[in-house]
């Protein structure tokens, strides 16, 4: 892999495109009819039968699945039902030993098929496993949740104390805070808050049984390290389980070509410049992602998060530049997080454990580097722009429309709430994830094959206030013209939860926003809104300019480059902003270019005088020159 191929910004370089794995499960699940016996009662009955505190059973299940059954479809790690019970010997974790599903079947006398398909049986199986874990620890049943800490840690299936403790700590955080949620079957389940539920810390005997929800063998863990081992240079909050699995920095191929991989040395702690966090998904298993990031001729990212338990592996020091965004400017200014999962298989579902672990990591990084917790700084890979016109069509689309941004930002402590009146100039997209189910195609082997009905955080954008009207065009994706499609990987007419846009017009139940240089309409009825009114700075072309260009990177002016550093062209994308159009402003930054001169030497930042503004231009962000615009509503710091 030549440096020019990775650093040009014209080639999208992350695991999601380069992996060619088939999703582990068929896309079949849909919202289910509520069962005859409410799920809340099923939890209470199972807890009573197996003498487990109801709060403990509810807390564990919430961390596993948020109490959802997912229509009987397995997760990416092969877990089923509200308790996320996994099989032994499945594709997610090959082993001959019995897994939790088999053990639960033996303990309850219920067949495994029923444990997979029947939420009530699944909950009973989880309760039986918790009770068995308590017995294995030599502890009697107790009505006090504090006495179940060791059993909860053992239920995680983690094969080391740090990972088990992190899992149990998260369960007890859920119990203390309490939760109330409507599940995917339309039922409301409540876990009352118990702020005094202080667990009895210490895990006297961590489970090493293979096939547990978090046990997936530890592929990629190098000799001398274990999950939770901090002997390596891990940069994680203490509240998560984190290990160091290094991405290689080494030469390969023809020495004359100057090839090395799979990241660059830097000094970002001193030079500054970490302004973004980029959320990816792996489009493959944890095992595959960890194996690939250790290849010098592959690409890299800073962190991988495991679906089963939220365990984290760090691969690249934060001071260095990983190759993950497909845009060299964003690579140099961001941290990349790969989450185990599949974009086109929504019912492989991201676990609550992974969401919460990821949120803890992002909060830590945001505090460390002063990164605002908003959707102009916490990006999906699908929000990263092409650096040049040629790169636009090859940009990535993960984590896609099924990533639950609303829930993620609730965990980040910055939910998307109204901050202005109903007639505001700006709106933040926020449909109700569970019930908002726009159709998509392309989740199966055929492009036209419908995706399963599933909750989504994205709204569709039309050319008129009419659901029958065409979708808006993206001239970067279709230079010859043509409306966007409902393909799951087509981002041309999509606005996602948390993205903030300037209002162009309102008509009845429809709202128009400025998007890709045009008015884009989405259904936003007052009785069931899909956006909330927001206060935010926005910009418009400076008076006298009929239109201005949009850029995919904020590079310095030619005069800023010192001798020996090649001048990078400032090339506009095929997009424009017309007079009178308005776009929400994010980062204000001088032009910057990260130059890596040769192997073994840290790169340097070339910083210019030209100032740029980041904007929410379409589904992807863009950059405009400050000299071209006028900002209203306050200038971001």
């Amino acid at each position: 892999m030549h440096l020019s191929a990775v650093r040009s910004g014209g080639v999208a370089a992350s695991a999601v495109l380069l992996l060619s794995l088939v999703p582990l499960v068929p896309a079949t699940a849909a919202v289910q009819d509520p069962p005859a016996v409410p799920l809340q009662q099923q939890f209470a009955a199972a807890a009573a039968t197996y003498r487990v505190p109801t709060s403990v059973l509810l807390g564990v299940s919430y961390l596993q699945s948020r109490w959802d059954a997912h229509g009987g479809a397995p997760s990416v790690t092969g877990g089923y039902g509200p308790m996320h019970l996994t099989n032994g010997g499945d594709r997610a974790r090959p082993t001959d030993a019995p897994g939790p599903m088999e053990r639960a079947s033996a303990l309850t006398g219920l067949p495994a098929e029923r444990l997979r398909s029947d939420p009530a049986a699944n909950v009973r199986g989880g309760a039986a496993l918790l009770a068995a874990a308590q017995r294995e620890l030599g502890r009697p049943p107790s009505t006090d949740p504090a006495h179940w800490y060791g059993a909860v840690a053992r239920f995680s299936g983690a094969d080391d104390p740090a990972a088990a403790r992190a899992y149990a700590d998260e369960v007890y955080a859920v119990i203390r805070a309490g939760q109330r949620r409507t599940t995917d079957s339309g039922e409301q389940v409540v876990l009352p808050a118990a702020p005094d539920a202080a667990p009895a810390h210490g895990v006297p005997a961590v489970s090493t049984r293979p096939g547990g929800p978090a046990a997936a063998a530890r592929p990629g863990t190098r000799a001398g390290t274990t999950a939770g081992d901090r002997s390596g240079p891990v940069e994680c909050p203490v509240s998560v389980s984190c290990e160091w699995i290094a991405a290689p920095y080494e030469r390969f191929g023809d020495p004359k070509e100057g090839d090395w991989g799979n990241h660059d040395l830097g000094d970002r702690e001193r030079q500054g410049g970490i302004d973004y966090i980029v959320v990816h998904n792996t489009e493959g298993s944890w095992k595959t992602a960890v194996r690939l990031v250790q290849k010098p001729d592959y690409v890299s990212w800073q962190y991988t998060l495991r679906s089963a338990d939220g365990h984290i592996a760090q691969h690249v020091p934060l001071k260095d530049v990983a190759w993950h965004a497909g845009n060299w400017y964003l690579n140099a200014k961001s941290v990349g997080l790969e989450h185990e999962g599949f974009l086109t298989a929504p019912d492989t579902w991201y676990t609550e454990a992974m969401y919460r672990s990821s949120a803890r990591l992002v909060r830590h990084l945001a505090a460390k580097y002063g990164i605002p917790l908003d959707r102009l700084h916490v990006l999906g890979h699908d929000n990263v722009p092409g650096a040049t016109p040629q790169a636009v069509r090859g940009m990535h689309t993960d984590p896609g429309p099924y990533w639950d941004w609303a829930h993620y930002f609730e965990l980040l402590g910055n939910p998307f709430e109204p901050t202005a009146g109903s007639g505001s100039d700006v709106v933040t997209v926020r449909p109700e994830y569970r019930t908002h189910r726009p159709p998509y195609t392309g989740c199966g082997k055929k492009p036209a094959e419908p995706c399963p009905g599933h909750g989504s955080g994205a709204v569709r954008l039309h050319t008129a206030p009419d659901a029958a009207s065409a979708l808006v065009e993206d001239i970067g994706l279709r230079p010859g013209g043509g409306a966007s499609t409902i393909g799951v990987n087509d981002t041309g007419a999509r606005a996602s939860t948390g993205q903030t846009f300037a209002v162009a017009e309102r008509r009845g139940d429809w709202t128009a926003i400025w998007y890709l240089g045009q008015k884009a309409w989405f259904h936003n009825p007052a009785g069931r809104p899909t956006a909330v009114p927001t206060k935010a700075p926005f910009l418009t072309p400076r008076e006298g300019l009929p239109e201005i260009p949009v850029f995919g990177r904020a590079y310095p002016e030619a005069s800023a480059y010192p001798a020996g550093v090649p001048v990078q062209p400032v090339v506009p994308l095929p997009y424009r902003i017309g007079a009178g159009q308005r776009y929400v402003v994010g980062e204000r930054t001088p032009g910057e270019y990260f130059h890596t001169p040769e192997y073994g030497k840290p790169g340097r930042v070339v910083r210019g005088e030209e100032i740029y503004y980041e904007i929410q231009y379409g589904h992807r962000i863009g950059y405009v020159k400050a000299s071209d615009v006028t900002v209203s509503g306050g200038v971001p710091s």
Side-chain angles (χ1 to χ4, degrees):
M1 180 180 299
H2 297 299
L3 281 172
S4 59
V6 177
R7 298 194 179 117
S8 66
V11 176
S14 99
V16 66
L17 182 64
L18 299 178
L19 292 176
S20 57
L21 300 178
V22 177
L24 296 177
V25 298
T28 56
V31 171
Q32 299 172 281
D33 294 329
V37 179
L39 188 60
Q40 185 89 43
Q41 294 181 27
Q42 294 168 359
F43 276 109
T49 298
Y50 292 97
R51 302 174 67 190
V52 178
T54 304
S55 62
V56 170
L57 187 59
L58 283 166
V60 168
S61 179
Y62 186 86
L63 196 64
Q64 299 289 82
S65 69
R66 282 200 285 167
W67 305 322
D68 285 341
H70 294 274
S75 74
V76 67
T77 50
Y80 291 83
M83 299 303 297
H84 194 233
L85 302 182
T86 57
N87 295 315
D90 62 17
R91 284 179 290 180
R93 47 176 54 79
T95 175
D96 294 329
M101 186 72 73
E102 291 82 1
R103 296 187 70 225
S105 179
L107 290 166
T108 62
L110 299 171
E113 177 54 40
R114 186 174 172 191
L115 291 169
R116 284 192 287 268
S117 60
D118 180 356
N122 188 274
V123 169
R124 285 177 63 88
L129 288 171
L130 281 166
Q134 187 81 336
R135 290 194 300 273
E136 291 162 5
L137 292 171
R139 296 183 173 183
S142 171
T143 58
D144 186 349
H147 294 163
W148 288 79
Y149 184 86
V152 171
R154 176 167 281 225
F155 183 92
S156 75
D159 55 6
D160 72 281
R165 280 195 296 268
Y167 177 91
D169 286 343
E170 202 68 74
V171 169
Y172 278 83
V174 169
I175 294 171
R176 286 194 296 275
Q179 293 291 337
R180 177 187 299 269
R181 183 172 183 271
T182 301
T183 71
D184 60 358
S185 64
E187 294 186 81
Q188 188 168 95
V189 177
V190 179
L191 169 59
D196 296 329
H201 279 281
V203 185
V206 176
S207 172
T208 56
R209 56 183 170 80
R218 299 282 178 189
T221 303
R222 294 190 166 189
T225 67
T226 60
D229 177 19
R230 296 182 179 272
S231 61
V234 292
E235 298 164 285
C236 294
V238 296
S239 57
V240 301
S241 171
C242 191
E243 67 178 306
W244 177 255
I245 301 175
Y249 180 73
E250 59 188 61
R251 283 193 172 103
F252 67 90
D254 186 349
K256 295 179 181 178
E257 294 292 335
D259 290 340
W260 71 77
N262 56 11
H263 59 279
D264 281 297
L265 304 183
D267 191 8
R268 300 199 295 178
E269 303 265 334
R270 185 176 62 85
Q271 294 177 331
I274 299 181
D275 298 323
Y276 303 99
I277 294 166
V278 181
V279 172
H280 307 251
N281 71 356
T282 60
E283 288 301 303
S285 68
W286 160 273
K287 179 179 180 180
T288 300
V290 168
R291 175 177 58 81
L292 288 172
V293 81
Q294 295 180 81
K295 293 168 62 70
D297 58 348
Y298 199 64
V299 293
S300 61
W301 49 93
Q302 275 82 10
Y303 299 94
T304 302
L305 290 95
R306 187 165 55 207
S307 174
D309 56 354
H311 177 69
I312 300 170
Q314 183 177 356
H315 313 295
V316 177
L318 293 170
K319 69 180 181 63
D320 295 336
V321 174
W323 304 346
H324 64 95
N327 179 318
W328 186 244
Y329 176 78
L330 267 295
N331 279 348
K333 298 179 71 65
S334 68
V335 175
L337 280 61
E338 288 278 1
H339 297 77
E340 187 180 19
F342 295 94
L343 185 162
T344 59
D347 288 310
T348 58
W349 46 291
Y350 303 115
T351 64
E352 178 68 1
M354 185 167 69
Y355 271 126
R356 293 173 79 95
S357 183
S358 181
R360 287 184 182 274
L361 176 59
V362 169
R363 288 201 308 268
H364 170 78
L365 295 171
K368 180 179 177 71
Y369 295 108
I371 301 171
L373 288 174
D374 61 41
R375 289 284 279 111
L376 282 162
H377 294 87
V378 181
L379 307 173
H381 198 185
D382 52 351
N383 307 136
V384 174
T388 64
Q390 296 76 20
V392 171
R393 297 184 70 183
M395 296 306 292
H396 289 214
T397 59
D398 60 305
Y402 303 121
W403 180 264
D404 193 345
W405 286 107
H407 180 58
Y408 195 51
F409 269 77
E410 288 171 354
L411 295 174
L412 289 174
N414 193 26
F416 304 120
E417 302 290 349
T419 58
S422 58
S424 64
D425 292 325
V426 176
V427 292
T428 296
V429 175
R430 197 198 66 180
E432 175 58 45
Y433 180 90
R434 184 185 67 84
T435 57
H436 181 69
R437 303 163 71 82
Y440 291 99
T441 59
C443 287
K445 293 182 179 180
K446 298 179 181 179
E449 187 174 337
C451 296
H454 198 279
S456 171
V459 298
R460 197 149 281 143
L461 301 172
H462 294 262
T463 55
D466 182 349
S469 65
L471 299 178
V472 298
E473 296 185 12
D474 184 335
I475 60 171
L477 292 176
R478 295 176 177 82
S484 300
T485 72
I486 63 170
V488 72
N489 287 299
D490 189 340
T491 61
R494 185 184 301 168
S496 288
T497 292
Q499 291 186 320
T500 303
F501 298 91
V503 174
E505 191 178 346
R506 288 183 173 93
R507 287 193 211 170
D509 288 343
W510 289 77
T511 298
I513 56 176
W514 291 114
Y515 181 97
L516 297 178
Q518 61 199 299
K519 284 185 180 180
W521 294 87
F522 67 98
H523 194 228
N524 185 28
R528 193 176 180 181
T530 54
V532 295
T534 305
K535 203 180 219 183
F538 54 84
L539 55 76
T540 191
R542 184 167 50 83
E543 187 175 354
L545 296 178
E547 64 177 21
I548 62 172
V550 177
F551 301 87
R553 55 192 180 190
Y555 273 177
E557 64 279 7
S559 61
Y561 291 83
V565 178
V567 174
Q568 302 299 305
V570 180
V571 181
L573 297 176
Y575 305 116
R576 297 291 183 270
I577 296 176
Q581 296 182 13
R582 301 181 297 179
Y583 292 85
V584 170
V585 177
E587 194 71 14
R588 180 182 186 273
T589 180
E592 293 183 4
Y593 171 63
F594 181 77
H595 175 59
T596 53
E598 59 184 280
Y599 177 76
K601 291 188 177 181
R604 60 183 293 190
V605 176
V606 177
R607 192 170 283 116
E609 298 294 328
E610 182 86 65
I611 301 298
Y612 291 82
Y613 286 112
E614 174 204 8
I615 59 170
Q616 187 66 68
Y617 183 63
H619 186 73
R620 302 183 189 273
I621 62 170
Y623 297 90
V624 295
K625 293 182 178 180
S627 56
D628 286 342
V629 302
T630 299
V631 177
S632 302
V635 179
S637 58

